[in-house]
Amino acid sequence: MFEARTPAARLGLQLLAVVLVVPFVLPLVAMVQGSLAGAGLGNYAKVFATGVVGTYFRNSVVLAAATIALVYVTTMLAAFGFAKLRIAGREVWFWVLVLALTMPEAVLLTPLFVTASTFDVYNQPIAVILPLAALQVPFTVMLARTFFAGIPSELMEAGRVDGASIVQVFWRIVLPLTRPIAAAIVVLTLINAWNAYLLPLLMLNDPGQQVVTLLPSFFTSQYTNDQTGVLAAAVITAVPEVVAYLCLQKYFERGLAAGALK
């Protein structure tokens, strides 16, 4: 492990850490301070007085849970196949999948809207869940494939010698070893699904289907711009994912480190 041995090196690393952290911390501090301006905690009461916080949170939880489940299952199966199975054109298919990372979400909005309308799923959660999962899968597969490649093939061969099928080897031997990378995938997917804004804004027009990222819109319109309400709604929206990250931080960092090294 890298270690700074001299006082000057330690001071330099500390200053570097501060410089890297400050640009991320200052906006958060400003957001919390702004949410308490004027009426103080009354700004938060104003957000809950809209009567939609519970509905929006429930919809976001359902959307995030479904997206996480879909991304997890798809990623584990695909990463296992790309890392451990003999598949014709495996590398070609893998890099085709990785190329999907270059597709920005904004470019896909129009074709996704047309597709959702064609299949009559507009204004339904699945119209958001499937695109969100598809946008996450290329990166998570790329991350998990490296982790799977680091699992000794001898473990799989031992299972096959004992008579296990490839499905049993995956389920009973390989999958239990993937908990660190699975935690990283869950956290990354949770953050992206919870923070999704463009897709829910486009696909979910029914107030009963909308999610927490649309909560600040209650305080902005053509004639009003209540920034304290917007910031209070933003803080309320951010709390669950911050708590989830803090709970899974250890596993998340371990998974990223394991997925980055072969």
Side-chain angles (χ1 to χ4, degrees):
M1 179 180 294
F2 175 78
E3 181 180 355
R5 298 182 180 276
T6 64
R10 287 193 290 270
L11 178 61
L13 286 176
Q14 187 65 42
L15 291 175
L16 177 61
V18 171
V19 169
L20 293 175
V21 168
V22 165
F24 297 96
V25 172
L26 285 182
L28 296 177
V29 173
M31 181 176 70
V32 174
Q33 287 181 337
S35 70
L36 295 171
L41 293 177
N43 295 326
Y44 291 89
K46 179 170 54 180
V47 176
F48 285 100
T50 60
V52 299
V53 175
T55 300
Y56 281 22
F57 264 80
R58 181 196 64 207
N59 294 339
S60 286
V61 168
V62 171
L63 187 146
T67 303
I68 289 170
L70 191 56
V71 169
Y72 174 77
V73 172
T74 304
T75 298
M76 292 297 106
L77 292 174
F80 177 68
F82 283 130
K84 294 297 184 182
L85 301 183
R86 295 185 180 91
I87 302 173
R90 182 177 68 179
E91 292 300 317
V92 174
W93 291 115
F94 174 73
W95 286 108
V96 168
L97 180 67
V98 171
L99 282 175
L101 288 170
T102 63
M103 297 291 291
E105 181 181 349
V107 173
L108 300 173
L109 291 179
T110 299
L112 286 173
F113 177 79
V114 173
T115 302
S117 300
T118 301
F119 287 94
D120 197 25
V121 294
Y122 178 74
N123 219 20
Q124 297 182 29
I126 193 171
V128 177
I129 292 169
L130 290 179
L132 276 180
L135 288 168
Q136 301 303 314
V137 164
F139 178 73
T140 55
V141 169
M142 183 176 65
L143 193 66
R145 186 200 189 200
T146 304
F147 187 92
F148 274 90
I151 297 176
S153 298
E154 290 78 8
L155 292 175
M156 295 177 54
E157 293 170 1
R160 296 303 300 273
V161 169
D162 289 339
S165 66
I166 192 64
V167 174
Q168 291 173 323
V169 167
F170 171 75
W171 182 257
R172 297 180 180 276
I173 298 176
V174 177
L175 198 59
L177 300 175
T178 64
R179 290 175 184 171
I181 197 66
I185 290 170
V186 167
V187 172
L188 288 172
T189 307
L190 171 63
I191 291 173
N192 286 294
W194 192 268
N195 289 336
Y197 178 76
L198 288 178
L199 277 170
L201 181 65
L202 177 67
M203 297 293 189
L204 303 175
N205 192 38
D206 181 1
Q209 298 290 346
Q210 291 179 349
V211 295
V212 291
T213 49
L214 303 179
L215 190 58
S217 64
F218 269 80
F219 303 97
T220 57
S221 66
Q222 184 178 356
Y223 303 105
T224 61
N225 186 15
D226 185 356
Q227 286 300 306
T228 57
V230 170
L231 293 173
V235 171
I236 292 172
T237 300
V239 167
E241 60 182 330
V242 171
V243 172
Y245 174 78
L246 292 176
C247 293
L248 296 172
Q249 180 182 9
K250 178 177 66 174
Y251 304 102
F252 175 70
E253 293 174 353
R254 186 187 305 169
L256 284 183
L261 299 174
K262 182 175 180 180

